[in-house]
Amino acid sequence: MEIKLFQFNPIQENTYVVYDETRQAIVIDCGSLAEHEHRRFQQFVADNHLQIKHVLNTHLHLDHAFGNYMLAHTYGIAPEAHKDDEEFALRIVELAAFFGIEGDIRPQALGGYLQHGDIIRAGNMEAHVLHTPGHSPGGLCFYFPDEKVVFTGDTLFRDSIGRTDLRGGDYDALIESIRTQLLTLPDDTAVYCGHGLPTTIGYERQNF
């Protein structure tokens, strides 16, 4: 499995393209906002002859979802996320204005809902959906057991956890999600976060 990281938009959000030797790909949290970011993303997909099979969102805060409209209208793949976060996607223009973020921002409807226990497949890859509310009501993580990799969005960071002071945040729920859904994974599981550097489950368990 190959993992390509992009850092997009003024909030420096981590967007991931995950693919394997079949050239089938999964996009996780596409935050591209500016036109040059869209072009950089599209060039990478073209250069690597990738076929995007799924567009997944760990949550639908605007910095993780700016690129969903571009993906849907360029590749014909609508995003998938938890239903409890759908409101954020529908209000993305309003929320961007509230936070003073400018650009060609457009809402994109979800193409499907994800819930705990779902399995997402592309090529030879298999991602298990973990519901991890706390940072947002519909927070999800995507665990690839064969590759020992988990994408945690803003649930868990290196040496930190997601903020819970935004609409729908819940500190106790976040701690419970991390303890029951993430810290139960093997120590050598690589953690790719929604912002900042990667870490491992073992490292975060020692610090939790």
Side-chain angles (χ1 to χ4, degrees):
M1 184 174 78
E2 302 290 335
I3 301 172
K4 171 63 177 178
L5 164 66
F6 296 92
Q7 285 191 324
F8 284 146
N9 69 60
I11 306 178
Q12 290 293 282
E13 175 268 350
N14 289 342
T15 293
Y16 298 99
V17 181
V18 182
Y19 60 99
D20 68 6
E21 67 278 0
T22 70
R23 316 319 288 175
Q24 293 190 6
I26 297 172
V27 181
I28 300 175
D29 287 353
C30 188
S32 64
L33 174 59
E35 184 61 33
H36 69 86
E37 293 177 331
H38 295 332
R39 289 196 302 269
R40 186 153 58 98
F41 177 94
Q42 293 164 5
Q43 191 65 55
F44 177 82
V45 171
D47 288 347
N48 288 276
H49 310 288
L50 300 182
Q51 179 185 13
I52 297 174
K53 302 298 290 185
H54 293 279
V55 174
L56 307 181
N57 279 96
T58 61
H59 62 299
L60 287 169
H61 286 164
L62 74 176
D63 54 321
H64 292 253
F66 282 134
N68 283 345
Y69 181 89
M70 178 275 290
L71 291 178
H73 288 76
T74 303
Y75 303 103
I77 307 293
E80 300 169 77
H82 196 284
K83 183 176 177 59
D84 288 351
D85 268 17
E86 189 169 28
E87 175 190 3
F88 298 120
L90 300 177
R91 297 177 58 213
I92 192 170
V93 175
E94 171 192 344
L95 292 169
F98 177 81
F99 286 106
I101 299 175
E102 299 179 349
D104 185 16
I105 300 165
R106 306 188 194 189
Q108 174 57 50
L110 296 179
Y113 298 127
L114 298 174
Q115 59 185 357
H116 186 85
D118 286 347
I119 296 178
I120 306 296
R121 295 182 175 88
N124 295 316
M125 302 177 294
E126 186 175 280
H128 293 216
V129 177
L130 309 176
H131 185 208
T132 54
H135 177 65
S136 72
L140 299 172
C141 294
F142 303 113
Y143 175 49
F144 293 74
D146 290 344
E147 291 81 11
K148 296 185 177 179
V149 168
V150 64
F151 295 87
T152 59
D154 291 1
T155 294
L156 181 66
F157 299 117
R158 183 177 179 85
D159 294 318
S160 186
I161 62 173
R163 60 189 295 182
T164 57
D165 59 333
L166 300 172
R167 180 182 176 88
D170 184 324
Y171 176 81
D172 291 336
L174 181 64
I175 295 300
E176 182 68 9
S177 293
I178 294 170
R179 283 177 173 162
T180 61
Q181 302 301 324
L182 296 178
L183 297 186
T184 54
L185 300 177
D187 279 355
D188 58 350
T189 303
V191 177
Y192 289 88
C193 314
H195 302 269
L197 297 172
T199 183
T200 67
I201 290 296
Y203 177 82
E204 296 308 321
R205 184 183 290 110
Q206 291 179 344
N207 294 330
F208 196 75

